[in-house]
Amino acid sequence: MTSTSDLWPPAGLVVRSGDLTLTPIVDDDLPGLVDLVLSGVHEPERQPFATPWTRTPPEQVPAMFAAHHWSERASFAVDHVSVDLAVRRGGELVGTQGFAGGAYAITRTAETGSWLAQRFQGQGIGTRMRQAVCTLLFDHLDAAEVTSAAWSDNPASLAVSRKVGYRPGDLARKVREGALALEQRLVLAPEDLVRGDLVVVTGAEPLRAFLGLGQPGSA
């Protein structure tokens, strides 16, 4: 009998760490996540994201947000691995944590990305959910490295990367909202991961099988 994971391999994935639960974003999550976006993700004068999606007019946010996630789900493939996870603390939605990588089964490299509603920032949640997703990638999806990036004037994101064990990479000159900005690239190796709470992962097997990763721990 066909399962939801046959249609979309990440479907049954669950990552738990303490009171945090990370699950792939489904349609029922979208209204609550849109409400979080509309409640505020960062100060208006700042732009922490490479794509300024938080500048979208409020009335257009629901359609924009849903279309993005539907598009990522529809384009999921062995050469376009993109998984966005809804993050809940004690059952309450707080933001999202994702990872993406082209030809992941070959490169074993994924880049992480996340956001938290502003009212949940500064409470250590960002560090914990990054530790959780990196543990998923290294321990259950055989990643060889995990990458990230942040603008040089985004100390909060850079601090999370530092706490989790990422090492600084290249500094790239980019355009951000029409002006020069420096983007700091970061790289995390398995042995450098700073682990926090115990991370329990279930439902990763269909994703491993889809990617052709073989049995856990295989090369």
PDB file of all heavy atoms in Angstrom, residues 152-175:
ATOM      1  N   SER A 152      27.844  39.572   7.694  1.00  0.00           N
ATOM      2  CA  SER A 152      28.844  39.885   8.726  1.00  0.00           C
ATOM      3  C   SER A 152      28.280  40.777   9.829  1.00  0.00           C
ATOM      4  O   SER A 152      28.851  40.839  10.918  1.00  0.00           O
ATOM      5  CB  SER A 152      30.073  40.544   8.090  1.00  0.00           C
ATOM      6  OG  SER A 152      29.712  41.758   7.446  1.00  0.00           O
ATOM      7  N   ASP A 153      27.154  41.460   9.557  1.00  0.00           N
ATOM      8  CA  ASP A 153      26.543  42.313  10.577  1.00  0.00           C
ATOM      9  C   ASP A 153      25.346  41.618  11.237  1.00  0.00           C
ATOM     10  O   ASP A 153      24.453  42.279  11.769  1.00  0.00           O
ATOM     11  CB  ASP A 153      26.124  43.667   9.993  1.00  0.00           C
ATOM     12  CG  ASP A 153      25.115  43.548   8.848  1.00  0.00           C
ATOM     13  OD1 ASP A 153      24.719  42.413   8.508  1.00  0.00           O
ATOM     14  OD2 ASP A 153      24.727  44.591   8.288  1.00  0.00           O
ATOM     15  N   ASN A 154      25.353  40.272  11.221  1.00  0.00           N
ATOM     16  CA  ASN A 154      24.299  39.502  11.889  1.00  0.00           C
ATOM     17  C   ASN A 154      24.945  38.700  13.023  1.00  0.00           C
ATOM     18  O   ASN A 154      25.155  37.485  12.912  1.00  0.00           O
ATOM     19  CB  ASN A 154      23.605  38.574  10.883  1.00  0.00           C
ATOM     20  CG  ASN A 154      22.394  37.873  11.475  1.00  0.00           C
ATOM     21  OD1 ASN A 154      22.141  37.926  12.674  1.00  0.00           O
ATOM     22  ND2 ASN A 154      21.629  37.202  10.630  1.00  0.00           N
ATOM     23  N   PRO A 155      25.289  39.354  14.121  1.00  0.00           N
ATOM     24  CA  PRO A 155      26.027  38.674  15.196  1.00  0.00           C
ATOM     25  C   PRO A 155      25.254  37.520  15.823  1.00  0.00           C
ATOM     26  O   PRO A 155      25.858  36.544  16.279  1.00  0.00           O
ATOM     27  CB  PRO A 155      26.294  39.786  16.212  1.00  0.00           C
ATOM     28  CG  PRO A 155      25.256  40.826  15.930  1.00  0.00           C
ATOM     29  CD  PRO A 155      25.022  40.775  14.457  1.00  0.00           C
ATOM     30  N   ALA A 156      23.937  37.603  15.852  1.00  0.00           N
ATOM     31  CA  ALA A 156      23.158  36.534  16.480  1.00  0.00           C
ATOM     32  C   ALA A 156      23.312  35.223  15.718  1.00  0.00           C
ATOM     33  O   ALA A 156      23.542  34.168  16.312  1.00  0.00           O
ATOM     34  CB  ALA A 156      21.683  36.934  16.564  1.00  0.00           C
ATOM     35  N   SER A 157      23.195  35.279  14.382  1.00  0.00           N
ATOM     36  CA  SER A 157      23.349  34.066  13.577  1.00  0.00           C
ATOM     37  C   SER A 157      24.772  33.535  13.654  1.00  0.00           C
ATOM     38  O   SER A 157      24.991  32.325  13.774  1.00  0.00           O
ATOM     39  CB  SER A 157      22.976  34.347  12.125  1.00  0.00           C
ATOM     40  OG  SER A 157      23.133  33.200  11.329  1.00  0.00           O
ATOM     41  N   LEU A 158      25.744  34.430  13.594  1.00  0.00           N
ATOM     42  CA  LEU A 158      27.139  34.015  13.673  1.00  0.00           C
ATOM     43  C   LEU A 158      27.447  33.384  15.036  1.00  0.00           C
ATOM     44  O   LEU A 158      28.227  32.429  15.121  1.00  0.00           O
ATOM     45  CB  LEU A 158      28.062  35.208  13.418  1.00  0.00           C
ATOM     46  CG  LEU A 158      28.030  35.759  11.987  1.00  0.00           C
ATOM     47  CD1 LEU A 158      28.809  37.072  11.897  1.00  0.00           C
ATOM     48  CD2 LEU A 158      28.612  34.747  11.000  1.00  0.00           C
ATOM     49  N   ALA A 159      26.802  33.890  16.080  1.00  0.00           N
ATOM     50  CA  ALA A 159      27.023  33.337  17.415  1.00  0.00           C
ATOM     51  C   ALA A 159      26.471  31.921  17.513  1.00  0.00           C
ATOM     52  O   ALA A 159      27.088  31.036  18.126  1.00  0.00           O
ATOM     53  CB  ALA A 159      26.369  34.228  18.471  1.00  0.00           C
ATOM     54  N   VAL A 160      25.302  31.678  16.887  1.00  0.00           N
ATOM     55  CA  VAL A 160      24.741  30.330  16.877  1.00  0.00           C
ATOM     56  C   VAL A 160      25.702  29.371  16.186  1.00  0.00           C
ATOM     57  O   VAL A 160      25.996  28.278  16.689  1.00  0.00           O
ATOM     58  CB  VAL A 160      23.364  30.312  16.189  1.00  0.00           C
ATOM     59  CG1 VAL A 160      22.926  28.881  15.880  1.00  0.00           C
ATOM     60  CG2 VAL A 160      22.328  31.003  17.063  1.00  0.00           C
ATOM     61  N   SER A 161      26.208  29.778  15.016  1.00  0.00           N
ATOM     62  CA  SER A 161      27.140  28.925  14.276  1.00  0.00           C
ATOM     63  C   SER A 161      28.376  28.615  15.113  1.00  0.00           C
ATOM     64  O   SER A 161      28.864  27.476  15.142  1.00  0.00           O
ATOM     65  CB  SER A 161      27.551  29.602  12.968  1.00  0.00           C
ATOM     66  OG  SER A 161      26.440  29.744  12.100  1.00  0.00           O
ATOM     67  N   ARG A 162      28.876  29.623  15.805  1.00  0.00           N
ATOM     68  CA  ARG A 162      30.073  29.443  16.635  1.00  0.00           C
ATOM     69  C   ARG A 162      29.793  28.450  17.770  1.00  0.00           C
ATOM     70  O   ARG A 162      30.600  27.561  18.044  1.00  0.00           O
ATOM     71  CB  ARG A 162      30.494  30.809  17.196  1.00  0.00           C
ATOM     72  CG  ARG A 162      31.912  30.907  17.694  1.00  0.00           C
ATOM     73  CD  ARG A 162      32.372  32.341  17.819  1.00  0.00           C
ATOM     74  NE  ARG A 162      31.398  33.180  18.518  1.00  0.00           N
ATOM     75  CZ  ARG A 162      30.757  34.211  17.968  1.00  0.00           C
ATOM     76  NH1 ARG A 162      30.969  34.539  16.707  1.00  0.00           N
ATOM     77  NH2 ARG A 162      29.901  34.927  18.670  1.00  0.00           N
ATOM     78  N   LYS A 163      28.633  28.582  18.413  1.00  0.00           N
ATOM     79  CA  LYS A 163      28.289  27.700  19.522  1.00  0.00           C
ATOM     80  C   LYS A 163      28.141  26.248  19.068  1.00  0.00           C
ATOM     81  O   LYS A 163      28.443  25.321  19.815  1.00  0.00           O
ATOM     82  CB  LYS A 163      26.989  28.168  20.177  1.00  0.00           C
ATOM     83  CG  LYS A 163      27.087  29.476  20.938  1.00  0.00           C
ATOM     84  CD  LYS A 163      25.714  29.914  21.417  1.00  0.00           C
ATOM     85  CE  LYS A 163      25.756  31.284  22.075  1.00  0.00           C
ATOM     86  NZ  LYS A 163      24.397  31.757  22.439  1.00  0.00           N
ATOM     87  N   VAL A 164      27.660  26.060  17.834  1.00  0.00           N
ATOM     88  CA  VAL A 164      27.430  24.711  17.326  1.00  0.00           C
ATOM     89  C   VAL A 164      28.720  24.075  16.813  1.00  0.00           C
ATOM     90  O   VAL A 164      28.807  22.859  16.669  1.00  0.00           O
ATOM     91  CB  VAL A 164      26.333  24.733  16.239  1.00  0.00           C
ATOM     92  CG1 VAL A 164      26.122  23.368  15.598  1.00  0.00           C
ATOM     93  CG2 VAL A 164      25.016  25.217  16.846  1.00  0.00           C
ATOM     94  N   GLY A 165      29.757  24.911  16.547  1.00  0.00           N
ATOM     95  CA  GLY A 165      31.051  24.368  16.147  1.00  0.00           C
ATOM     96  C   GLY A 165      31.492  24.674  14.740  1.00  0.00           C
ATOM     97  O   GLY A 165      32.552  24.211  14.301  1.00  0.00           O
ATOM     98  N   TYR A 166      30.710  25.458  13.994  1.00  0.00           N
ATOM     99  CA  TYR A 166      31.121  25.834  12.639  1.00  0.00           C
ATOM    100  C   TYR A 166      32.420  26.635  12.669  1.00  0.00           C
ATOM    101  O   TYR A 166      32.673  27.414  13.596  1.00  0.00           O
ATOM    102  CB  TYR A 166      30.071  26.727  11.981  1.00  0.00           C
ATOM    103  CG  TYR A 166      28.764  26.074  11.595  1.00  0.00           C
ATOM    104  CD1 TYR A 166      27.837  25.684  12.558  1.00  0.00           C
ATOM    105  CD2 TYR A 166      28.421  25.901  10.252  1.00  0.00           C
ATOM    106  CE1 TYR A 166      26.616  25.128  12.204  1.00  0.00           C
ATOM    107  CE2 TYR A 166      27.207  25.349   9.887  1.00  0.00           C
ATOM    108  CZ  TYR A 166      26.305  24.964  10.862  1.00  0.00           C
ATOM    109  OH  TYR A 166      25.102  24.410  10.507  1.00  0.00           O
ATOM    110  N   ARG A 167      33.213  26.466  11.620  1.00  0.00           N
ATOM    111  CA  ARG A 167      34.429  27.256  11.453  1.00  0.00           C
ATOM    112  C   ARG A 167      34.228  28.261  10.324  1.00  0.00           C
ATOM    113  O   ARG A 167      33.561  27.946   9.334  1.00  0.00           O
ATOM    114  CB  ARG A 167      35.622  26.343  11.127  1.00  0.00           C
ATOM    115  CG  ARG A 167      35.955  25.370  12.248  1.00  0.00           C
ATOM    116  CD  ARG A 167      37.152  24.491  11.901  1.00  0.00           C
ATOM    117  NE  ARG A 167      37.414  23.507  12.935  1.00  0.00           N
ATOM    118  CZ  ARG A 167      38.143  23.740  14.014  1.00  0.00           C
ATOM    119  NH1 ARG A 167      38.690  24.940  14.189  1.00  0.00           N
ATOM    120  NH2 ARG A 167      38.345  22.789  14.900  1.00  0.00           N
ATOM    121  N   PRO A 168      34.798  29.470  10.455  1.00  0.00           N
ATOM    122  CA  PRO A 168      34.622  30.467   9.393  1.00  0.00           C
ATOM    123  C   PRO A 168      35.285  30.026   8.094  1.00  0.00           C
ATOM    124  O   PRO A 168      36.370  29.434   8.098  1.00  0.00           O
ATOM    125  CB  PRO A 168      35.308  31.721   9.947  1.00  0.00           C
ATOM    126  CG  PRO A 168      35.675  31.428  11.338  1.00  0.00           C
ATOM    127  CD  PRO A 168      35.578  29.971  11.581  1.00  0.00           C
ATOM    128  N   GLY A 169      34.624  30.310   6.980  1.00  0.00           N
ATOM    129  CA  GLY A 169      35.171  30.049   5.658  1.00  0.00           C
ATOM    130  C   GLY A 169      35.437  31.361   4.939  1.00  0.00           C
ATOM    131  O   GLY A 169      35.904  32.324   5.560  1.00  0.00           O
ATOM    132  N   ASP A 170      35.119  31.402   3.654  1.00  0.00           N
ATOM    133  CA  ASP A 170      35.363  32.599   2.867  1.00  0.00           C
ATOM    134  C   ASP A 170      34.412  33.728   3.252  1.00  0.00           C
ATOM    135  O   ASP A 170      33.295  33.496   3.722  1.00  0.00           O
ATOM    136  CB  ASP A 170      35.186  32.297   1.378  1.00  0.00           C
ATOM    137  CG  ASP A 170      36.206  31.305   0.856  1.00  0.00           C
ATOM    138  OD1 ASP A 170      37.287  31.188   1.475  1.00  0.00           O
ATOM    139  OD2 ASP A 170      35.932  30.645  -0.163  1.00  0.00           O
ATOM    140  N   LEU A 171      34.862  34.957   2.998  1.00  0.00           N
ATOM    141  CA  LEU A 171      34.036  36.146   3.154  1.00  0.00           C
ATOM    142  C   LEU A 171      33.731  36.657   1.753  1.00  0.00           C
ATOM    143  O   LEU A 171      34.645  37.013   1.007  1.00  0.00           O
ATOM    144  CB  LEU A 171      34.790  37.204   3.975  1.00  0.00           C
ATOM    145  CG  LEU A 171      33.964  38.360   4.576  1.00  0.00           C
ATOM    146  CD1 LEU A 171      32.932  37.825   5.565  1.00  0.00           C
ATOM    147  CD2 LEU A 171      34.883  39.368   5.252  1.00  0.00           C
ATOM    148  N   ALA A 172      32.457  36.657   1.389  1.00  0.00           N
ATOM    149  CA  ALA A 172      32.069  37.006   0.020  1.00  0.00           C
ATOM    150  C   ALA A 172      31.418  38.381  -0.024  1.00  0.00           C
ATOM    151  O   ALA A 172      30.671  38.760   0.882  1.00  0.00           O
ATOM    152  CB  ALA A 172      31.103  35.965  -0.532  1.00  0.00           C
ATOM    153  N   ARG A 173      31.742  39.128  -1.098  1.00  0.00           N
ATOM    154  CA  ARG A 173      31.134  40.440  -1.315  1.00  0.00           C
ATOM    155  C   ARG A 173      29.842  40.233  -2.116  1.00  0.00           C
ATOM    156  O   ARG A 173      29.865  39.735  -3.227  1.00  0.00           O
ATOM    157  CB  ARG A 173      32.103  41.351  -2.075  1.00  0.00           C
ATOM    158  CG  ARG A 173      33.371  41.667  -1.278  1.00  0.00           C
ATOM    159  CD  ARG A 173      34.435  42.335  -2.152  1.00  0.00           C
ATOM    160  NE  ARG A 173      34.028  43.645  -2.646  1.00  0.00           N
ATOM    161  CZ  ARG A 173      34.194  44.782  -1.986  1.00  0.00           C
ATOM    162  NH1 ARG A 173      34.761  44.772  -0.789  1.00  0.00           N
ATOM    163  NH2 ARG A 173      33.823  45.930  -2.516  1.00  0.00           N
ATOM    164  N   LYS A 174      28.719  40.642  -1.516  1.00  0.00           N
ATOM    165  CA  LYS A 174      27.408  40.436  -2.121  1.00  0.00           C
ATOM    166  C   LYS A 174      26.620  41.751  -2.137  1.00  0.00           C
ATOM    167  O   LYS A 174      27.002  42.724  -1.469  1.00  0.00           O
ATOM    168  CB  LYS A 174      26.609  39.383  -1.328  1.00  0.00           C
ATOM    169  CG  LYS A 174      27.242  37.997  -1.312  1.00  0.00           C
ATOM    170  CD  LYS A 174      27.030  37.281  -2.633  1.00  0.00           C
ATOM    171  CE  LYS A 174      27.498  35.831  -2.588  1.00  0.00           C
ATOM    172  NZ  LYS A 174      26.554  34.954  -1.866  1.00  0.00           N
ATOM    173  N   VAL A 175      25.548  41.735  -2.892  1.00  0.00           N
ATOM    174  CA  VAL A 175      24.627  42.869  -2.911  1.00  0.00           C
ATOM    175  C   VAL A 175      23.431  42.526  -2.042  1.00  0.00           C
ATOM    176  O   VAL A 175      22.809  41.467  -2.198  1.00  0.00           O
ATOM    177  CB  VAL A 175      24.155  43.191  -4.341  1.00  0.00           C
ATOM    178  CG1 VAL A 175      23.120  44.317  -4.319  1.00  0.00           C
ATOM    179  CG2 VAL A 175      25.338  43.579  -5.218  1.00  0.00           C
TER     180      VAL A 175
END
